[in-house]
Amino acid sequence: MIAIKTKKRLTSVNPTSLALYGLIAWFVVAFLIYPNINIYYEIFFKDGNFSLEAAEKLLSSERAMRSLYNSFILAVSLVFTVNIVGVALVLISEYFDIKGAKILRLGYFTTLIYSGVVLVSGYKFVYGETGFMTKLLVGLFPAFDPTWFHGYWAVLFVMTFACTSNHVLFLSNAIRKIDFQTVEAAKNMCASTFYILWRVVLPVLKPTMFALTILIFLTGLAATSAPLILGGAEFQTITPMILTFSNSVSSRDLAALLALILGLATLVLLTIMIRFERKGNFMSVSKVKSEMVKQKINNRFGNIAAHIAAYCLFLLYIIPVVLIVVFSFTDAHSISTATLSLGSFSLSNYMTVFSDMSAFKPYLVSIVYAAAASVTVVALALAASRILHKYKNKWTFALEYSLLIPWMLPSTLIAIGLIVTFNTPRFIIGNSILVGTVWMLFLAYVIVHIPFTLRMVKASFFSLDGNLEDAAKNLGAKTFYTFRKVLLPIILPSTLAVLALNFNGILADYDLTVFLYHPLYQPLGIVIKNSTDTQALADTKALTLVYSVILMIMSAITLYLVYGRKSRV
Amino acid sequence: MMKKMVSLSLLLILCLVVSACGGGNTNSNAENNTSSSNTPATSEPAAEEPVKNEKLIVYTNANSDGRGEWLIEKAKSAGFEIEIVGAGGANLTSRLIAEKNNPIADVVYGLNNMLYETLKKENVLIQHVPQWAGEVETGLNDPEGFYHGLVKQAILLGYNPEQFTAETAPKDWTDLYKNEAFKGKYEAPTLLGQITPQLVVAGILTRHQDSNGDLGISEEGWNEVKQLFDNGVRAVEGEDFYANLASGKTPLGAVVSGTLGSKEEQYKVKAGTVSPEIGVPMIVEHAAIVNGTKKLETAKRFVEWMGTSEVQGEFAAQFNSMPANTKAAEQANESVKELYASLKAQPLDWGFIADNIGQWVEKIELQIMQ
């Protein structure tokens, strides 16, 4: 009997999966552990001995400590505000019966197509010193201070609305999995709307919300553009300092140490979340699916209030985007003063960008890289999640945490670690040299996107109902067949969403790209940076917006192709 | 429905994978082609006629606004095939240092003295004195012969002409924090990740060089820099300083000579500039050959060609710049010549600056900035 069991167990691990495990192990060791440990070693043991000088320098700097503190304050505040706004958006667009939800949803999706400096400048067109809202307020209350929009509250405001992208994608997917019969049953038992939300809807959203909470926290810690532009002297955060330091050879130890602190803080939170994940089985993926029906809000005032809130949010989201598009047709003077006049409109910015055919090659290069890297990283994360879902032992524990290493280093240092490690033949990659090949950039893109992808893919794996897999097995389905036909369809929406997000993120990346790109294949991010650099002669302000609009269009197309058509099914 | 949807998405993924792999293949093919076309060329004796130029990889931070394309075209007609890798100066320097065991670049041009000094120290450059080196204005080239000047840029203190006149404007950077009238009216060089703010700071610190002081600077020097930061307005990422100069929000601050003309056109305000007695930080864009290049002879020929007064003069006329080559300087545009006639280069010890700037920035970021 025992013999049969052992035999069965051995044959159940087929050679294909063994090869897959081997491949993942090799990748983790060769590209996550080796180069990153190497750069840490280079930084902290440069003269052969370890020194605590970096820590001392940071501890004695009041500004560094205050910035670090501010980063944590921001991260914690965002966890609350973004979750609240994000859940509200999803309820408005997916759960409640709100008139015009389809259009509203488009508005809520706008954060997916732009980010960083451009997003913040979009908000500045509205709330900044010369912004439209500020002008309105000054007109109403002459004593109003036009420089009101700065500091902690301004940063929190912009980031709260800017960071809901993941919510509208992943929570929407999760909410569609609610078993409508349970909602109906609760209603029949006279449960209030609020009670149903709390006891039926929220539990289903929990695994996704845990995953998203980690991401919000990390985004808060890594905040760069919003604090730099809106924070002013009173609300500085740590990431701008990390970026400055990581570009200077003599200060890299400080950058690495600070990044390590942020990374460890994220890990602590993550460990807590993983505990929660293990503790609870949240799932009620309905076995007999019955379509979600949007819920009407019966209370009249409640209904009106919900509609007003929904449309206010819509305006809040859409106006910055519209202004960026409008201002991309004007010139530096109009942009910096936020004034619109008919005379300053022209197409010349767009003509500059598309003036010759060689301007198209970088788009192609970036699209190929983005597609290749985002597909690879999703495939890797799927395989890893499958392993993490199936087994629980010290190896999977090690695997999970190894895959999170890229969160421990700023991307500049990851790039430098890759160069320093792979510019001589290394045994682990078959004694070849990677520096100077097209693979360098591809690998770097894959590496930095692993943690995010893993978090999201894993979350959807853990919301799977184990019974489905068992049922398939009982019916005689093979492992891969079960994966392909039973599990994949359920996790596909989230997986595709991750794919699209990664793709868009890679399209215009600069920080990593600048160190690793191949001379013959200049990606888009480099072109954009070159033509909008402060030293450039052209109208850099206008060109920045033009490129942003182009990227918005590209991102929107990607989302539509990969994700948008899907949600209609 | 579900089935169809799944198979459709699988197909999509497959397409993406195939196209991605296809892309990857073409990439590596193209690379093989270039490398295979290079290998025989390298083994050829260089002295043989006619000279064969191999394809060069050129790193630069000065290729925006069509300058890169212009150089590629010109080089082509002179028989050189070049590929340009463009990036910011600091990033480019980091990349060159990281790649030094297996260099990709053959030539690097456009960086300033400070960055070239760093590269020299890291053994990234080789010594090569081109024939045109003698035509370059004295004091600009590297005395050790690693890099040689092409284009001059000056970092100037600019002011809004409506708020200040030549008389009321500050006479030097030091006036900004010593004179109460300018308090809160100038942009402090807070974005220290960029080169221009770094040089503004270096221009003040190096006046107080003291081998016993902290990081080679006397107590007084650090005090002055502290005042510079305390009394100025923080620069905001994403804002163009010239816009704030034009609007009068911060009417004083650093401007780079090469961009003055186009900024004036964009913001309809012509900034006044200050010429301090001590001179202005003059950053010179140089050309140098990368240590370990496999195409040394071609790289040398390219640098020889690139720095000649003909090429540099034509470049200056086209892009409104000021050549370091004295012969080429005659061909510069009148307005540029006029500006430079009134400017003097501040004597700066670039080696000293390059050695210390990283730690200076660190100290300012951690201890001086608020």
Side-chain angles (χ1 to χ4, degrees), chain A residues 18 54 207 209 332 462:
Chain A
L18 262 183
M209 278 179 71
F462 276 73

Side-chain angles (χ1 to χ4, degrees), chain B residues 180-197:
Chain B
E180 274 294 310
F182 306 124
K183 200 174 168 182
K185 297 222 161 177
Y186 66 92
E187 186 180 273
T190 47
L191 298 176
L192 286 164
Q194 297 170 8
I195 300 294
T196 309

Side-chain angles (χ1 to χ4, degrees), chain A residues 57-58 60-64 66 117 124 129 228-230 232-233 236 241 244-254 331-333 336-337 356 358 368-369 371-372 375 416 419-420 422-424 433 435-439 484-485 488-490 492 496 499 510 513-522 526 530-531 533-541 561-562 565-566 569, chain B residues 1-3 5-6 8-10 12-13 16-17 19-21 23-28 30-31 34 55 57 59 63-65 67 69 83-88 90-92 94-95 97-102 104 118 122 153 191-194 196 234-240 243 247 249 256 258-260 262-263 266-268 319 357-359 361-362 364-367 369-370:
Chain A
K57 275 184 190 164
L58 287 176
S60 66
S61 162
E62 200 208 321
R63 178 164 176 255
R66 205 179 51 225
V117 175
K124 251 178 115 179
E129 226 170 300
L228 264 181
I229 298 173
L230 299 170
Q236 301 181 51
M241 207 188 266
T244 308
F245 286 158
S246 56
N247 271 322
S248 148
V249 177
S250 60
S251 308
R252 262 179 209 159
D253 50 343
L254 297 179
D331 52 38
H333 184 72
S336 62
T337 52
D356 64 326
S358 72
V368 170
Y369 265 122
V375 168
I416 290 176
I419 300 179
V420 173
F422 295 118
N423 66 4
T424 45
I433 296 174
V435 168
T437 68
V438 292
W439 299 105
R484 195 164 53 92
K485 287 283 185 182
L488 197 59
I490 300 174
L492 201 61
L496 285 179
L499 191 85
Y510 176 78
T513 312
V514 67
F515 289 101
L516 304 171
Y517 80 90
H518 189 279
L520 299 180
Y521 304 100
Q522 181 163 269
I526 303 297
N530 276 345
S531 49
D533 185 68
T534 45
Q535 299 280 321
L537 301 175
D539 191 339
T540 54
K541 285 291 239 185
L561 286 180
V562 175
R565 296 193 306 191
K566 189 128 245 28
V569 177
Chain B
M1 195 61 186
M2 187 73 171
K3 216 171 165 186
M5 185 179 93
V6 172
L8 201 82
S9 347
L10 274 176
L12 191 77
I13 293 186
L16 278 174
V17 173
S19 65
C21 295
N25 284 342
T26 40
N27 287 359
S28 49
E31 211 206 346
T34 50
K55 185 171 195 159
I57 305 290
Y59 279 21
N63 65 328
S64 59
D65 305 304
R67 288 178 289 174
E69 286 78 6
E83 283 290 342
I84 284 186
V85 172
N91 288 328
L92 211 54
S94 300
R95 182 171 169 160
I97 294 171
E99 288 171 350
K100 71 177 174 184
N101 289 334
N102 184 31
I104 297 170
T118 311
E122 294 280 347
Q153 291 269 23
L191 298 176
L192 286 164
Q194 297 170 8
T196 309
R234 291 170 61 84
V236 176
E237 179 89 18
E239 274 181 14
D240 186 350
S247 73
K249 193 174 155 198
V256 179
T259 61
L260 281 176
S262 55
K263 297 282 181 203
Q266 282 159 32
Y267 293 99
K268 326 268 186 302
F319 294 99
I357 189 74
Q359 283 155 304
V361 167
E362 190 180 295
I364 293 170
E365 287 270 350
L366 291 179
Q367 291 165 23
M369 274 210 275
Q370 291 294 313

Side-chain angles (χ1 to χ4, degrees), chain A residues 83-154:
Chain A
N83 266 324
I84 291 169
V85 174
V87 171
L89 293 182
V90 173
L91 291 179
I92 288 169
S93 58
E94 299 287 337
Y95 185 76
F96 288 122
D97 186 15
I98 305 278
K99 300 270 170 301
K102 271 193 182 148
I103 295 177
L104 289 177
R105 215 172 74 198
L106 281 183
Y108 303 160
F109 266 79
T110 50
T111 51
L112 288 164
I113 57 172
Y114 73 139
S115 61
V117 175
V118 172
L119 182 140
V120 185
S121 355
Y123 278 83
K124 251 178 115 179
F125 284 137
V126 188
Y127 310 98
E129 226 170 300
T130 48
F132 291 98
M133 184 62 104
T134 309
K135 279 179 188 159
L136 186 74
L137 287 169
V138 172
L140 289 176
F141 317 100
F144 193 81
D145 174 16
T147 61
W148 66 292
F149 200 65
H150 64 91
Y152 167 73
W153 294 106

